[in-house]
Amino acid sequence: MRSNSKPHSPFNTKLILIFASVVLFVFLLITTTSSFSKPPISQSHLSNSTHPVDDSEPTPLDCPSLPLTPTCTKTPPSLANALIHYATTNITPQQTLKEISVSARVLEKKAPCNFLVFGLGHDSLMWAGLNHGGRTVFLEEDKAWIEQIKQKLPSLESYHVEYVTKVHQADDLLETGMKEECKVVGDPRFSKCDLALKGFPNEIYDIEWDLIMVDAPTGFHDEAPGRMNAIYTAGLMARNREEGETDVFVHDVNRGVEDKFSMAFLCEGYLREQQGLLRHFTIPSHRSRSGRPFCP
């Protein structure tokens, strides 16, 4: 697992960065000024000259038409990997373009950020690329699938998780979620609500997630693991952050579990948009303002 430790001397680090930035700016200013102060070379002089050209003197091919920029325009590895992957495969993400665009707009504003995704699939490299510079973590119930993806896409960060509830238990769990202990906001590890998932790696609970995507577990038949606990836990994590808000997305809301549980525990009052089979909720911190109701 990656360490989240911070440097011990942030003040000194800031001074060094500021000093380096000033030096770089002065250097670029001097370089740019000197380059523009040189008189232009006329095309007629070049074409009519019979003297050999001195290699030390600049030629039109040596002189850039635009000033040099101090920033590197090299494609980031996460984006390069995504471009290569999707350009060389016939397998496309499970979501439609319109559905993906909903999350992409939020990522455009918030990235780089902390992005938690329930599910590891054909769209995972895309999400990691759209969150370039941030941390994107995937939670997956199928160990064999994790190993298969790791062989192809080793840069993705994923963890194996287990879900003990099945789709056919949804109605009973929905009733359970209406109990008072399930309305208490806190760390899911210490929740008394049976819907809270408590078996994730500790750092999953310790990080404040800016975006959470619920697109797993499978939940496509009665005996399959359902998304009841994942949806509830995503909402609990969002409410338990110290301040700010979390954007939570739920896919496949045409199915009963995703429809009922997203409205019950992410709340219709927090619903911002629905596009196709994707719902987007924005849930504020409940710790920053005491007395806030579970649903508005």
Side-chain angles (χ1 to χ4, degrees):
M1 297 180 185
R2 300 179 186 175
S3 172
N4 291 321
S5 60
K6 297 181 179 179
H8 296 293
S9 303
F11 184 73
N12 292 337
T13 303
K14 287 182 180 178
L15 285 178
I16 294 172
L17 290 174
I18 292 171
F19 177 74
S21 300
V22 172
V23 172
L24 179 60
F25 175 78
V26 173
F27 173 78
L28 291 171
L29 183 62
I30 295 172
T31 305
T32 305
T33 304
S34 62
S35 65
F36 278 102
S37 63
K38 295 179 181 179
I41 302 173
S42 67
Q43 291 294 328
S44 60
H45 173 76
L46 288 172
S47 59
N48 297 329
S49 175
T50 57
H51 298 287
V53 177
D54 187 349
D55 292 337
S56 63
E57 294 183 1
T59 66
L61 294 177
D62 296 326
C63 297
S65 59
L66 295 174
L68 293 174
T69 57
T71 56
C72 179
T73 56
K74 186 176 181 180
T75 305
S78 59
L79 299 180
N81 290 337
L83 287 170
I84 294 170
H85 173 74
Y86 292 114
T88 57
T89 181
N90 293 325
I91 302 175
T92 56
Q94 294 93 324
Q95 297 185 24
T96 66
L97 175 59
K98 289 184 177 180
E99 292 167 354
I100 291 171
S101 298
V102 175
S103 310
R105 284 194 296 269
V106 178
L107 278 168
E108 185 179 5
K109 295 178 181 178
K110 289 192 170 185
C113 62
N114 294 321
F115 187 11
L116 180 65
V117 183
F118 285 80
L120 182 66
H122 300 299
D123 52 4
S124 298
L125 194 60
M126 176 191 67
W127 295 129
L130 290 172
N131 190 30
H132 169 67
R135 185 173 185 182
T136 308
V137 177
F138 302 92
L139 304 178
E140 171 62 38
E141 77 267 24
D142 189 338
K143 277 186 177 181
W145 178 245
I146 292 176
E147 292 304 315
Q148 184 178 339
I149 292 295
K150 277 186 176 180
Q151 290 178 5
K152 295 180 180 179
L153 307 170
S155 62
L156 296 180
E157 182 180 3
S158 60
Y159 298 96
H160 177 249
V161 295
E162 293 182 353
Y163 301 98
V164 296
T165 55
K166 309 295 184 183
V167 172
H168 68 81
Q169 298 173 279
D171 290 340
D172 292 337
L173 289 170
L174 186 62
E175 186 176 343
T176 297
M178 297 299 110
K179 296 179 180 179
E180 283 304 313
E181 58 263 32
C182 294
K183 304 296 182 181
V184 177
V185 174
D187 190 319
R189 287 172 290 189
F190 312 116
S191 174
K192 295 182 179 179
C193 181
D194 291 337
L195 279 170
L197 291 168
K198 304 175 182 180
F200 298 159
N202 285 331
E203 62 182 313
I204 300 297
Y205 301 103
D206 294 336
I207 295 172
E208 290 192 345
W209 300 101
D210 302 297
L211 282 80
I212 302 177
M213 173 78 70
V214 181
D215 205 3
T218 50
F220 58 86
H221 60 81
D222 282 350
E223 293 300 322
R227 298 180 186 174
M228 301 80 68
N229 303 71
I231 292 171
Y232 174 83
T233 303
L236 194 58
M237 286 178 167
R239 292 177 176 88
N240 192 51
R241 65 181 297 149
E242 190 171 342
E243 59 183 7
E245 61 187 22
T246 301
D247 292 279
V248 182
F249 306 89
V250 178
H251 195 224
D252 299 318
V253 295
N254 59 315
R255 305 191 305 199
V257 167
E258 287 78 359
D259 176 31
K260 295 176 183 178
F261 277 74
S262 65
M263 287 302 194
F265 301 113
L266 303 181
C267 305
E268 187 174 0
Y270 291 143
L271 179 63
R272 293 292 172 264
E273 181 180 0
Q274 177 171 338
Q275 184 63 251
L277 307 183
L278 185 82
R279 281 181 188 157
H280 170 208
F281 300 82
T282 302
I283 302 178
S285 164
H286 282 217
R287 292 172 57 189
S288 60
R289 196 184 86 181
S290 60
R292 191 191 293 266
F294 191 82
C295 283

